[in-house]
Amino acid sequence: GENVEQHPSTLSVQEGDSAVIKCTYSDSASNYFPWYKQELGKRPQLIIDIRSNVGEKKDQRIAVTLNKTAKHFSLHITETQPEDSAVYFCAASSTSGTYKYIFGTGTRLKVLA
Amino acid sequence: DVKVTQSSRYLVKRTGEKVFLECVQDMDHENMFWYRQDPGLGLRLIYFSYDVKMKEKGDIPEGYSVSREKKERFSLILESASTNQTSMYLCATTTGRETQYFGPGTRLLVL
């Protein structure tokens, strides 16, 4: 069936360093790729998304890249800060179908001060 | 601002009990989803609904049912709770095809 693989499952970086989280999807029909951040005890919240007609999108310290040929997409966080510590989920969705998301298994990011 | 609420933040139930989890949204969204979240497994889709009285199974529907009698309300029902249904349950909504907005979650413990 359709699935999304996410790596790594945990990631520790020093404050100020960059963090990269990678996802691979299996459904060729996927054309929308959101990233969610979930802080401890809180609900997941959308931080950035990308559609299949673009290869990269940036929002301040956060960027997402998409390689449709390889079915890879990645989240890049630069100049990490302690408040970036959270669990990050990637997802893939096809907007031509039932609007379901397939989520990755999550990455726990720890930013060490 | 989208508002999605869930009936309980924490719930403790006994094995065999019938459990109702409720999700309410105030944005007239058509699509509503129920997920469970477990460590290392991410968010897994249980059921979703794209209209009143319409429902579709997600990836792990066994042991669950749903009800959507009104557009703003989507209920998840555990017909006979079991210990392996101890989990965090998250509701989400979307108006169309893209961004899903999540509720605060219900942490369910089945003893």
Side-chain angles (χ1 to χ4, degrees):
Chain A
E2 302 147 3
N3 75 305
V4 174
E5 291 188 8
Q6 183 172 347
H7 298 282
S9 56
T10 60
L11 179 60
S12 294
V13 298
Q14 289 293 136
E15 183 177 358
D17 286 352
S18 295
V20 180
I21 302 170
K22 298 181 179 183
C23 289
T24 304
Y25 61 97
S26 61
D27 185 2
S28 301
S30 297
N31 56 5
Y32 175 67
F33 307 92
W35 284 89
Y36 283 80
K37 175 183 180 182
Q38 186 178 28
E39 296 177 50
L40 191 62
K42 296 192 175 179
R43 70 190 78 191
Q45 297 212 305
L46 179 75
I47 55 170
I48 196 167
D49 56 13
I50 192 167
R51 292 167 183 79
S52 58
N53 57 349
V54 298
E56 184 172 357
K57 183 177 178 180
K58 199 170 182 180
D59 182 3
Q60 299 183 352
R61 297 186 296 107
I62 293 173
V64 57
T65 58
L66 172 65
N67 182 330
K68 280 215 77 177
T69 303
K71 297 183 188 170
H72 288 167
F73 58 113
S74 300
L75 178 71
H76 304 253
I77 307 174
T78 58
E79 300 171 18
T80 54
Q81 301 167 3
E83 52 265 37
D84 294 329
S85 295
V87 178
Y88 292 81
F89 292 98
C90 63
S93 174
S94 168
T95 59
S96 61
T98 55
Y99 320 136
K100 292 191 315 179
Y101 284 8
I102 305 296
F103 279 93
T105 50
T107 296
R108 182 174 298 279
L109 173 64
K110 295 180 186 176
V111 180
L112 307 170
Chain B
D1 203 20
V2 178
K3 190 171 181 183
V4 185
T5 59
Q6 293 183 227
S7 49
S8 306
R9 292 300 306 272
Y10 302 95
L11 214 49
V12 180
K13 295 292 180 181
R14 297 227 171 257
T15 302
E17 279 193 78
K18 191 168 186 175
V19 182
F20 293 87
L21 305 181
E22 195 167 72
C23 176
V24 178
Q25 49 101 354
D26 68 351
M27 290 302 293
D28 203 35
H29 287 181
E30 291 89 4
N31 305 305
M32 298 186 75
F33 306 81
W34 274 107
Y35 296 91
R36 65 177 281 175
Q37 181 177 14
D38 300 288
L41 297 177
L43 284 79
R44 293 180 293 166
L45 183 64
I46 304 171
Y47 266 97
F48 65 104
S49 168
Y50 49 89
D51 203 350
V52 175
K53 296 193 186 294
M54 306 300 286
K55 60 185 179 185
E56 283 201 29
K57 293 180 180 179
D59 300 316
I60 51 165
E62 297 79 17
Y64 303 94
S65 63
V66 290
S67 171
R68 192 160 180 206
E69 296 297 318
K70 293 185 178 181
K71 193 174 187 179
E72 68 269 18
R73 198 177 298 266
F74 190 35
S75 300
L76 179 69
I77 303 155
L78 286 65
E79 297 290 342
S80 177
S82 64
T83 55
N84 62 12
Q85 292 179 309
T86 290
S87 186
M88 169 70 86
Y89 290 87
L90 287 161
C91 170
T93 80
T94 179
T95 185
R97 304 168 180 186
E98 297 183 347
T99 307
Q100 290 192 12
Y101 298 91
F102 285 87
T106 296
R107 189 168 292 281
L108 172 66
L109 173 62
V110 182
L111 300 173

